[in-house]
Amino acid sequence: MRIHKLQTTDAFVAIDLAGAEAASGPIRWAKKILQGGAKDLARTQTYTYAALGMRHSGASGGISAPPENRGDAIAAFIEEGSALVAERTYLPDAAKGIGAAELAALRRDDPRDLTRDESFLRRCDGQSIAVAAHQAVGLEGKTVAIEGFDETGMWIADAVAGRGGRVIALSTTAGSTRDRDGFALSELRDAHAEHGDDVVTAIGTHGAATGVFDAGADVVFAGSKVGVIDHVVARRLAECAAVVPNGRLPLTARALAELRKAGVETPADFVALAGRTIVAWGDAERTDDEVLTDLRRSVGGLCNEVAGHEDGLFLGACYHAEAFLSSWQDELPFGRPLAA
């Protein structure tokens, strides 16, 4: 892992692999962005690329600045970072604290398909995540809980319903709510569009956000923050059929061990969240329907590669990615994509 520090502002880029054809990943702004978290995010993107058979590297950038200096810091990053983009050393994706429009000046030299709007990309995320869940345990007749419900959560709910499952619980920063009979998709969509995170108070009985883990759902989607499922939460989910990532690095190593011991299926985040990568490196001339078809086929194919692996879906996906990495890297990067 190499850390490239910018000269004109307090910013850095963590680049996972040497010798890659390109490197990409999130760029975040906050008062202080730590390198450790950026390295972890770079690693999970590396594994997504490897799982897809692409000789690319994960990367992750951070811009540290107080709010009053945010605009100047981002502008300095864009000016100095343009050379990195032109060389494909780092292709940034807008993440926490930075909007996609703020990176527009860097798009000219970015070789990826960046023509899709954010709503469609969230739909792609939802489809990718749901495919991983469906391939793991089948969603027909399953009850589902969605932790960290947001715009992507709405698309997960849509994809779950399309495969015969029903959402019985969800949580946001405002709390959680549940309905054993399942929420009507149209009601959920309208309430979320009107109330945002307060959807949990608008559609049912409101409780603590962590209550989503006690809803008794067959499948739990989680990933509102890195490490949201630790070993303590994992024990509460021991009766689930599957815990499926809807964000990067939701599991700690101890959580993975607990879930594995309980027989809970755990698709890898770098597979479940491969959707945007598939979109970005595909043909820009494809229609949205063609993109979704390609995405479902690619993610489904990845899941089939590791289905039924004796060490579980997460480690099976790691072995699959590492086999490809070994074909072009002298040695494997140290550490698998799990939260600390």
Side-chain angles (χ1 to χ4, degrees):
M1 186 83 65
R2 176 170 70 91
I3 300 296
H4 175 91
K5 292 187 176 182
L6 277 71
Q7 302 299 310
T8 56
T9 190
D10 185 5
F12 68 89
V13 179
I15 303 168
D16 198 10
L17 303 178
E21 295 172 359
S24 76
I27 178 68
R28 298 174 296 154
W29 164 81
K31 289 182 181 179
K32 185 64 177 178
I33 298 288
L34 300 178
Q35 291 183 7
K39 290 177 180 178
D40 292 339
L41 290 170
R43 179 59 45 82
T44 183
Q45 181 61 49
T46 289
Y47 271 67
T48 290
Y49 278 133
L52 292 170
M54 302 176 72
R55 293 179 55 153
H56 293 178
S57 172
S60 181
I63 302 172
S64 298
E68 61 270 22
N69 295 337
R70 174 186 174 278
D72 290 341
I74 292 174
F77 171 84
I78 289 172
E79 183 174 356
E80 189 174 343
S82 62
L84 299 177
V85 174
E87 298 163 358
R88 301 192 181 185
T89 300
Y90 177 50
L91 308 174
D93 298 312
K96 181 180 178 181
I98 299 179
E102 293 179 289
L103 301 179
L106 298 176
R107 296 315 193 200
R108 180 188 62 191
D109 293 320
D110 195 315
R112 299 173 296 170
D113 174 12
L114 302 173
T115 62
R116 317 288 169 170
D117 64 34
E118 182 62 23
S119 176
F120 179 72
L121 291 174
R122 288 185 177 274
R123 183 182 179 188
C124 290
D125 288 337
Q127 283 290 329
S128 182
I129 292 161
V131 167
H134 190 62
Q135 294 288 107
V137 294
L139 290 172
E140 178 70 34
K142 294 292 194 300
T143 56
V144 165
I146 304 176
E147 185 270 338
F149 190 87
D150 57 9
E151 290 86 351
T152 299
M154 192 64 246
W155 285 114
I156 294 172
D158 183 79
V160 164
R163 290 168 173 80
R166 69 182 194 276
V167 177
I168 65 166
L170 54 97
S171 71
T172 69
T173 57
S176 66
T177 188
R178 67 179 77 173
D179 183 334
R180 289 301 303 178
D181 294 327
F183 297 107
L185 197 62
S186 58
E187 177 189 2
L188 190 56
R189 183 181 295 109
D190 291 345
H192 185 260
E194 182 176 355
H195 300 286
D197 280 357
D198 287 330
V199 63
V200 295
T201 60
I203 64 173
T205 303
H206 175 231
T210 55
V212 73
F213 296 129
D214 300 315
D218 299 316
V219 179
V220 174
F221 295 91
S224 64
K225 61 181 180 180
V226 171
V228 67
I229 298 181
D230 61 13
H231 62 288
V232 176
V233 174
R235 289 170 189 154
R236 294 162 64 183
L237 301 175
E239 300 300 318
C240 294
V243 172
V244 183
N246 60 12
R248 293 281 181 173
L249 302 167
L251 298 177
T252 66
R254 290 182 66 186
L256 177 64
E258 289 286 345
L259 294 171
R260 182 82 185 106
K261 181 171 65 176
V264 180
E265 296 288 2
T266 52
D269 67 308
F270 57 86
V271 172
L273 293 162
R276 288 199 185 212
T277 301
I278 294 166
V279 175
W281 292 97
D283 184 355
E285 299 301 316
R286 293 176 298 174
T287 66
D288 286 353
D289 285 344
E290 288 171 336
V291 168
L292 289 167
T293 297
D294 288 348
L295 183 155
R296 287 189 286 263
R297 181 173 58 247
S298 296
V299 175
L302 281 179
C303 293
N304 285 336
E305 287 281 349
V306 300
H309 196 285
E310 62 181 0
D311 289 335
L313 296 180
F314 180 87
L315 286 177
C318 286
Y319 301 152
H320 173 72
E322 288 159 6
F324 180 77
L325 285 171
S326 294
S327 73
W328 68 281
Q329 288 284 301
D330 292 336
E331 57 184 30
L332 292 175
F334 179 75
R336 288 180 171 141
L338 286 164

